[in-house]
């Protein structure tokens, strides 16, 4: 109805899955990384839980699309109302296993023969069971027996149990303790924070129009977040209704008042659309849920994941409803920033990074301002230079010291500060402000443009772009980094071969960056971090010096 009015090629907000609109927030990327890690490390059992509408299906779609048929054989069971033998029949059918006998023992024997054959051919078998919270205990016990199919060295099948929070409670039952103890990788998918909610809405609008649109006012975006609690399904429902209201009023901008009207409409019809318990989420409930968001990951790096989740919760609270003391701090910060020139702040921010990398600083008489000048500083100091845009969560996950670009109101121009770390939801910056080296995210985001710059050292002097077909000593070094990061098991030749291409794509997917199989600057940065063969600076976290 409103598509032509707003210029949409298709409706941007629907509750039916559409691969064209897939958006992975930082929580979705973390869930994806947990699943991929569990599968590639042959953990055996992996558990993914999340409330209705958090995007579990989105993560599964992204995962299954990433697992190529040459290396993996996958099966998805999404009908949980099965008996134990019906489950086995469905699994064998999904893998194309012929079996004339339909007895439990014969089905297991056929499945075991298939798994041994695939294992000998170097393939990983993945079984995904959706809506697992509805499985009967007898069926879950059958799944445990399937996991017993193994060699002396390895699990023959990787089983991913996906379900609502009730799945966790069910697995706590004494009769299922053997199964629960075998689950070594767990992740609880939480709703999106405010920044990701905004990016989610903008992404869907971009896909629907093919261009950048800002249809929702800042106030409208805040109300959508408070109403939805960051749940994608609720975001879609209320955003669709708000667009319809804007259309009926002939407005090309969705205001906060229109969102309020949409919220009232959705509440009136909640029994027709969504479970009541979902629509009862308030802003306080959403924050409470986010407050436990990082407690369920169990794999290497899970501590950092939990701490970043904690930081994201702090930024969400600050972003949505900053207290008066924070507003006073913002004014004080503005006064301090305005007391320096663009040139002085750019030089000071760069020199803080230069000291960390151990390169020569820029003298005061060389000081200039602007991204081009920062890039010039980096070149003169023998550093590479990367430009980035996005939210603080993405920057923290990159885990490199960075320069943030700030914009002062009233035509005061730009200023720059270095982000060196974080602790308890506060950013560690340089140069310090009146002796304060830590400022709240709310203070800094008041002025941050969303752009950041990374001066970094190409320690091994590797090419900034390597792709399939390239050869040389640099490819051998890249393979070594991939091997140390746990993503490559092939030969250490000097050729960028098919096995390396697959490994690069898996690494990129696990890091939540574009999966193109090309080792560009960002992939190389993350490989240096994950490979561990050379020391590179990282963001200081709480308790570190």
């Amino acid at each position: 109805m409103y598509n032509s009015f707003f210029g949409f090629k298709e409706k941007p907000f629907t509750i039916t899955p559409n691969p064209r609109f897939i958006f992975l927030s930082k929580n979705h990327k973390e869930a994806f990384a947990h699943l991929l890690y569990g599968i590639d490390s042959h953990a055996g059992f992996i558990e993914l839980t999340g409330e209705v509408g958090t995007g579990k299906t989105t993560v599964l779609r992204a995962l299954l699309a990433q697992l190529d048929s040459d290396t993996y054989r996958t099966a998805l069971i999404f009908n949980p109302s099965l008996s134990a033998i019906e489950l086995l029949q469905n699994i064998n059918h999904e893998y194309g296993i012929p079996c004339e006998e339909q007895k439990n023992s014969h089905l297991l024997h056929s499945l075991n023969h298939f798994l041994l054959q695939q294992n000998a051919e170097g393939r990983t078998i993945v079984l995904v069971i959706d809506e697992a919270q509805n499985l009967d205990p007898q069926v879950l016990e059958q799944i445990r027996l399937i996991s017993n199919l193994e060699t002396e060295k390895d699990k023959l099948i990787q089983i991913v149990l996906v379900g609502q929070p009730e799945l966790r409670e069910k697995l706590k039952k004494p009769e299922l303790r053997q199964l629960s103890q075998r689950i070594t990788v767990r992740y609880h998918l939480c709703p999106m924070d405010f920044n990701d909610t905004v990016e989610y809405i903008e992404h869907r609008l971009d896909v629907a129009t093919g261009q950048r649109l800002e249809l929702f006012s800042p106030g409208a975006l805040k109300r959508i977040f408070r109403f939805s609690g960051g749940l994608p399904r609720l975001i879609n429902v209320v955003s669709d209704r708000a667009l319809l209201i804007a259309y009926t009023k002939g407005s090309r901008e969705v205001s906060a008042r229109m969102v309020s009207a949409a919220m009232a409409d959705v509440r009136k019809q909640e029994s027709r659309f969504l479970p009541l318990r979902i629509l009862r989420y308030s802003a306080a409930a959403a924050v409470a849920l986010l407050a436990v968001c990082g407690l369920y990951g169990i794999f290497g790096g899970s501590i950092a994941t939990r701490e970043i989740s904690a930081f994201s919760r702090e930024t969400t609270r600050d972003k949505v409803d900053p207290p008066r003391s924070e507003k006073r701090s913002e004014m004080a910060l503005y006064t301090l920033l305005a007391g320096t020139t663009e040139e002085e702040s750019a030089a000071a921010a760069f020199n803080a990074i230069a000291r960390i990398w151990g390169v020569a600083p820029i003298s005061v008489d060389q000081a200039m301002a602007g991204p081009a000048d920062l890039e010039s500083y980096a070149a003169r100091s023998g550093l590479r230079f990367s430009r980035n845009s996005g939210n603080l969560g993405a920057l923290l996950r990159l885990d490199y010291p960075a320069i943030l670009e700030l914009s002062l109101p009233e035509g005061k121009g730009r200023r720059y500060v270095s982000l060196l770390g974080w602790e308890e939801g506060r950013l560690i910056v340089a140069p310090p402000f009146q002796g304060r080296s830590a400022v709240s995210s709310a203070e800094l985001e008041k002025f941050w443009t969303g752009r950041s710059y990374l001066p970094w050292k190409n320690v091994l002097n590797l090419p900034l772009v390597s792709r399939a077909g390239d050869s040389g000593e640099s490819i051998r070094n890249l393979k070594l980094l991939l091997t140390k990061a746990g993503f490559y098991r092939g030969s250490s030749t000097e050729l960028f071969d098919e096995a390396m291409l697959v490994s690069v794509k898996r690494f990129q997917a696990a890091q939540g960056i574009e999966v193109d199989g090309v080792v560009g600057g960002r992939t190389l940065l993350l490989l240096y971090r994950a490979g561990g063969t050379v020391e590179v600076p990282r963001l200081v976290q709480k308790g570190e010096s």
Side-chain angles (χ1 to χ4, degrees), residues 507-519:
F507 176 77
Q508 290 171 329
Q511 298 296 324
I513 61 176
E514 182 182 1
V515 181
D516 57 8
V518 176
V519 183

Side-chain angles (χ1 to χ4, degrees), residues 311-347:
F311 180 88
S312 297
R313 296 193 297 275
E314 293 295 330
T315 62
T316 300
R317 285 196 290 268
D318 292 343
K319 186 83 174 181
V320 175
D321 191 20
R324 292 180 181 178
S325 59
E326 292 287 0
K327 292 180 179 178
R328 289 195 295 270
S329 296
E330 289 168 9
M331 291 302 299
L333 181 58
Y334 166 77
T335 302
L336 290 169
L337 290 170
T340 63
T341 66
E342 289 187 32
E343 293 81 2
E344 290 170 344
S345 70

Side-chain angles (χ1 to χ4, degrees), residues 36-56:
L36 193 60
Y37 170 84
I39 290 169
D40 284 347
S41 64
H42 287 200
F45 268 114
I46 305 154
E47 176 192 301
L48 173 64
T49 56
E51 189 53 86
V52 174
T54 47
K56 298 185 296 295

